[in-house]
Amino acid sequence: ILSSRTTTKSNADGPLVTPTSATDDGAIAVGKTDAPVTVAVYLDYMCPYCGQFEKANGGELDRLIEEGTVRVQLHPMSFLDKASGGTRFSTRAANAVATVAHRAPDKVLAVNRALFDRQPAEGSKGLTDAQIAEIASGAGVPQDVVTSFSAMTFEPWVVQATQKAFKAGVSN
């Protein structure tokens, strides 16, 4: 059972584990590999502009993925950890999404949307581990996958993916 507190222990120096659907440039790929269009979406789950993008475009992207027209590359980043009062919300949320991508890939888009639906304000402490788990469970993620979020297995990958995005010219 996950607590209502937040995980503050870092696993950033742990072994690099890459989600099975990850691309070399630090994205989680969703959709058919032969889709004629690829859309790259760089996001932080605390970023208000990222939340606005999801609200405005998420439904249409979901539809285009479903019809095989678009493959989306979600680039979860953690650049707003500094804006979550020491709780590392961005890293914890991105780790949860990477865990889902690895162990329940058909639920990635649902978790992505649900995290933005309950997006905390920038500058707040963010969501607790228990709230992230509740969101993922509500999106249909199996309980054994949700329980594994606290291991922070994909934190080193999140750190690396964030660094790759910045090196590629993404700025916050």
Side-chain angles (χ1 to χ4, degrees):
I1 293 178
L2 295 173
S3 75
S4 61
R5 296 184 305 155
T6 57
T7 304
T8 55
K9 185 183 131 221
S10 175
N11 186 34
D13 295 327
L16 180 65
V17 180
T18 302
T20 52
S21 62
T23 65
D24 291 340
D25 63 344
I28 294 170
V30 182
K32 295 181 180 176
T33 56
D34 63 347
V37 175
T38 299
V39 175
V41 179
Y42 292 83
L43 57 96
D44 184 306
Y45 289 101
M46 187 170 262
C47 168
Y49 301 107
C50 301
Q52 290 172 8
F53 177 87
E54 173 61 30
K55 283 178 181 45
N57 300 291
E60 182 66 6
L61 287 174
D62 289 352
R63 185 185 70 74
L64 293 170
I65 290 167
E66 184 66 29
E67 69 181 36
T69 306
V70 167
R71 181 172 174 86
V72 171
Q73 293 184 347
L74 295 175
H75 291 263
M77 299 173 65
S78 59
F79 61 87
L80 285 175
D81 270 352
K82 64 185 180 279
S84 63
T87 69
R88 300 178 329 107
F89 169 71
S90 299
T91 294
R92 292 182 299 107
N95 172 76
V97 171
T99 303
V100 171
H102 190 71
R103 297 191 52 202
D106 62 321
K107 301 299 180 189
V108 168
L109 290 177
V111 170
N112 182 69
R113 167 146 315 127
L115 281 168
F116 280 120
D117 285 347
R118 294 209 20 216
Q119 183 181 41
E122 184 177 351
S124 72
K125 290 193 181 277
L127 303 172
T128 66
D129 291 342
Q131 289 169 317
I132 293 170
E134 175 189 310
I135 288 167
S137 292
V141 176
Q143 191 57 46
D144 64 318
V145 177
V146 171
T147 302
S148 71
F149 292 170
S150 62
M152 297 298 289
T153 301
F154 295 97
E155 181 177 359
W157 180 82
V158 170
V159 170
Q160 183 184 73
T162 300
Q163 291 168 347
K164 284 182 177 183
F166 287 145
K167 286 179 184 171
V170 174
S171 62
N172 58 343

